[in-house]
């Protein structure tokens, strides 16, 4: 019997010794794992945006895009995020919505901009979506909702337009996992504090949206895709309560007023 | 390891014993995505032959026992992969190393199973290192 246990021990030891030896190799670099997933994301981002822009009307109005670009640039620069990789798109639509597509496509609706009471609120939404991008939530959501095999077939052009449209719908009008939302809230709050923007304004925005949800459920896409707003407001407030941060405006009051005016003119 | 068996098995016995390994071989292929299938298939074959001759029972048991270690290894690999695809777990060097290790052990088992199936069919008794000893301790004449 002792001999039997000794042999079992040797087998287990061989298994772990093999594992240990293989662990010494940097397989991630060897197999280019990150590059492969990055190229899949790039292809999906390009494909989705091509389809989405045909469905909606993107505004090129400099009076709108320039101030929003300033807000985005501040968040990116202060958080060492490459601004050049973020593709900002402003869609003319009254719905209160913002979402991210793969490969750093950030989509904001004019309805959302119009509904923000100050730039910090808008920055909060931008930072939250940026957190989804930077933490890899978009691909995780797609894999979960659409399936890995379908995503791969899309990148090789083997999937139909309907399937791609369905994937866009998943990203633009369905909720993320609760854990991913909380993660994006906290990372977003960190981005805001580093960029000297008040994160409390974002918490306030969430609270305001949740209180209006019952009255205008259809227009408030962003809040219906980001459920549990009251608890999330509390979590953000708790998180920032013991943090020190500065509040510096990116746009002056005239620029902000001009932005709102341009959005309304549309 | 080739060793002498208690008696010279007949052709019919050799065929049944060899089928035990073939069963686990087919099950390994079918069960790659769901490792439990290996074990269930081999176990069903074992149940079907548990009242067979000593030679048949001995080899069915060895085939079954070898599936247990594969089940444990492959199950971890399977659930790890599921977590990567559907949950927040990310691909890491640990994961790739583990999957290569599991692949190597499956490959060794696969080759050993083919070799044993062929030899057993010829009536030659093959006793595996550790699993043979364990089978000797379990199966009674």
């Amino acid at each position: 019997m002792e001999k039997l246990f000794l042999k079992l021990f040797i087998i287990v030891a061989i298994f772990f010794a093999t594992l240990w030896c293989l662990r010494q190799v940097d397989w991630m670099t060897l197999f280019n794992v990150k590059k492969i997933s990055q190229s899949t994301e790039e292809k999906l981002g390009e494909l989705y945006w091509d389809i989405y822009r045909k469905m909606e009307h993107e505004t090129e109005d400099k009076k709108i895009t320039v101030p929003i670009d300033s807000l985005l640039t501040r968040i990116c620069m202060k958080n060492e995020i490459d601004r050049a990789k973020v593709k900002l798109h402003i869609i003319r639509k009254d719905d209160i919505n913002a979402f991210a597509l793969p490969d750093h496509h950030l989509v904001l609706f004019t309805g959302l901009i119009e509904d923000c009471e100050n730039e910090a609120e808008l920055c909060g939404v931008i930072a939250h979506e940026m957190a989804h991008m930077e933490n890899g939530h978009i691909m995780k959501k797609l894999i979960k909702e659409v399936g890995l095999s379908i995503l791969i077939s899309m990148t090789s052009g083997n999937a139909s337009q309907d399937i791609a449209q369905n994937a866009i719908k998943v990203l633009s009008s369905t909720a993320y996992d609760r854990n991913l939302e909380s993660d994006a809230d906290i990372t977003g709050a960190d981005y805001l504090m580093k960029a000297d923007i008040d994160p409390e304004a974002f918490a306030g925005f969430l609270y305001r949206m949740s209180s209006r949800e019952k009255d205008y459920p259809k227009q408030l896409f962003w809040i219906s895709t980001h459920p549990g707003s009251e608890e999330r407001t509390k979590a953000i407030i708790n998180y920032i309560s013991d943090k020190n941060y500065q509040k510096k405006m990116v746009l002056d009051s005239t620029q902000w007023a001009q932005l709102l005016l341009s959005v309304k003119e549309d | 390891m080739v060793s002498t068996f208690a008696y010279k098995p007949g052709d019919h016995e050799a065929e049944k014993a060899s089928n035990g390994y073939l069963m686990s071989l087919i099950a390994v292929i079918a069960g790659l995505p769901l490792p439990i299938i290996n074990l269930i298939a081999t176990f069903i074959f074992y149940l079907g032959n548990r009242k067979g001759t000593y030679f048949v029972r001995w080899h069915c048991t060895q085939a079954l026992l070898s599936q247990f270690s594969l089940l444990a290894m492959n199950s971890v690999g399977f659930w790890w992969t599921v977590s990567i695809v559907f949950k927040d777990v990310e691909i890491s060097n640990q994961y790739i190393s583990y999957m290569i290790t599991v692949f190597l052990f499956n490959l060794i088992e696969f080759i050993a199973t083919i070799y044993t199936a062929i030899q057993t069919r010829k009536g030659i008794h093959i006793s595996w290192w550790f699993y043979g000893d364990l089978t000797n301790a379990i199966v009674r004449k």
Side-chain angles (χ1 to χ4, degrees):
Chain A
M1 194 56 100
E2 277 176 18
K3 207 176 152 189
L4 202 65
F5 278 113
L6 181 69
K7 283 184 176 180
L8 175 66
F9 176 76
I10 292 170
I11 288 181
V12 175
I14 290 171
F15 178 82
F16 282 105
T18 314
L19 191 61
W20 185 83
C21 290
L22 289 168
R23 181 64 193 86
Q24 305 311 306
V25 182
D26 186 2
W27 300 103
M28 297 288 278
T29 314
L30 199 71
F31 291 149
N32 280 333
V33 173
K34 281 186 181 156
K35 275 189 185 170
I36 292 165
S37 53
Q38 201 179 328
S39 94
T40 308
E41 199 175 332
E42 278 170 18
K43 282 178 189 168
L44 286 175
E46 202 179 322
L47 174 77
Y48 292 171
W49 176 244
D50 271 352
I51 295 170
Y52 193 73
R53 74 170 164 199
K54 284 172 196 160
M55 290 155 51
E56 302 291 350
H57 178 55
E58 185 186 8
T59 180
E60 301 284 342
D61 187 351
K62 293 265 187 278
K63 285 182 209 156
I64 300 173
T65 55
V66 171
I68 307 257
D69 185 70
S70 308
L71 301 177
L72 179 62
T73 305
R74 160 86 79 90
I75 295 168
C76 288
M77 274 179 64
K78 296 279 182 176
N79 288 283
E80 289 163 5
I81 298 167
D82 181 9
R83 167 65 189 91
K85 72 180 178 185
V86 185
K87 294 107 187 159
L88 175 67
H89 310 287
I90 318 276
I91 302 294
R92 284 186 198 276
K93 209 169 184 179
D94 290 338
D95 296 338
I96 298 168
N97 201 6
F99 59 91
L101 291 174
D103 193 30
H104 293 79
H105 285 272
L106 174 62
V107 183
L108 296 175
F109 283 22
T110 48
L112 174 95
I113 302 167
E114 204 179 325
D115 213 72
C116 289
E117 287 183 355
N118 51 56
E119 63 165 43
E121 287 189 359
L122 183 55
C123 285
V125 176
I126 293 172
H128 179 89
E129 294 303 327
M130 291 294 298
H132 278 312
M133 292 178 189
E134 290 297 304
N135 294 351
H137 294 173
I138 297 142
M139 288 306 284
K140 276 178 193 161
K141 186 181 178 183
L142 275 177
I143 289 168
K144 193 178 168 189
E145 303 283 340
V146 181
L148 191 61
S149 57
I150 293 174
L151 288 178
I152 291 166
S153 71
M154 277 185 206
T155 59
S156 55
N158 291 331
S160 72
Q161 178 114 346
D162 287 349
I163 295 171
Q165 277 179 350
N166 184 47
I168 298 167
K169 204 176 169 188
V170 162
L171 287 174
S172 66
S173 56
T174 64
Y176 279 88
D177 188 272
R178 277 276 162 111
N179 293 335
L180 297 186
E181 278 311 328
S182 305
D183 185 35
D185 282 343
I186 298 304
T187 312
D190 282 332
Y191 287 168
L192 292 170
M193 286 187 282
K194 276 190 191 166
D196 301 327
I197 298 165
D198 183 11
E200 207 176 327
F202 175 59
F205 175 78
L206 278 178
Y207 189 76
R208 204 175 71 243
M209 289 288 122
S210 63
S211 61
R212 283 166 51 192
E213 198 177 0
K214 288 163 203 159
D215 303 329
Y216 314 96
K218 281 184 183 170
Q219 280 188 312
L220 299 170
F221 274 102
W222 200 77
I223 215 68
S224 66
T225 59
H226 293 73
S229 302
E230 274 185 50
E231 298 92 80
R232 288 171 53 209
T233 307
K234 282 179 200 160
I236 295 168
I237 297 290
N238 279 340
Y239 180 70
I240 60 171
S241 59
D242 57 345
K243 305 272 191 305
N244 290 319
Y245 55 90
Q246 289 185 310
K247 298 174 194 174
K248 289 181 187 166
M249 301 293 277
V250 183
L251 309 172
D252 59 36
S253 52
T254 324
Q255 287 171 312
W256 175 252
Q258 182 61 50
L259 170 66
L260 289 186
L261 200 67
S262 306
V263 167
K264 278 174 190 160
E265 274 172 7
D266 280 346
Chain B
M1 184 176 78
V2 182
S3 60
T4 18
F5 201 63
Y7 63 91
K8 171 93 181 105
D11 192 50
H12 186 65
E13 277 181 77
E15 191 182 352
K16 270 200 165 178
S18 174
N19 284 347
Y21 292 102
L22 285 179
M23 192 70 182
S24 73
L25 206 63
I26 294 161
V28 165
I29 300 163
L32 278 179
L34 266 177
I36 191 77
I37 294 173
N38 294 4
L39 191 72
I40 294 169
T42 318
F43 186 65
I44 290 168
F45 194 80
Y46 167 79
L47 284 181
N49 289 289
R50 72 185 191 282
K51 283 179 182 167
T53 63
Y54 178 45
F55 187 76
V56 175
R57 275 186 291 125
W58 196 96
H59 282 280
C60 283
T61 309
Q62 181 167 261
L64 178 70
L65 290 174
S66 66
Q67 289 298 321
F68 275 108
S69 46
L70 277 192
L71 173 80
M73 274 190 275
N74 292 1
S75 296
V76 173
F78 174 74
W79 288 111
W80 200 340
T81 309
V82 167
S83 309
I84 286 172
V85 175
F86 297 105
K87 293 186 177 176
D88 297 345
V89 182
E90 289 191 354
I91 293 181
S92 58
N93 278 323
Q94 282 96 322
Y95 170 74
I96 299 172
S97 311
Y98 183 81
M99 292 313 278
I100 295 172
T101 310
V102 168
F103 172 76
L104 288 175
F105 274 73
N106 272 274
L107 188 69
I108 293 166
E109 163 102 16
F110 197 75
I111 294 166
T113 306
I114 293 174
Y115 176 75
T116 314
I118 295 166
Q119 296 302 312
T120 315
R121 181 66 190 87
K122 291 176 190 164
I124 301 165
H125 179 62
I126 303 282
S127 172
W128 290 8
W129 200 75
F130 172 68
Y131 294 106
D133 298 321
L134 190 62
T135 311
N136 276 333
I138 294 170
V139 183
R140 290 185 181 176
K141 284 184 188 176

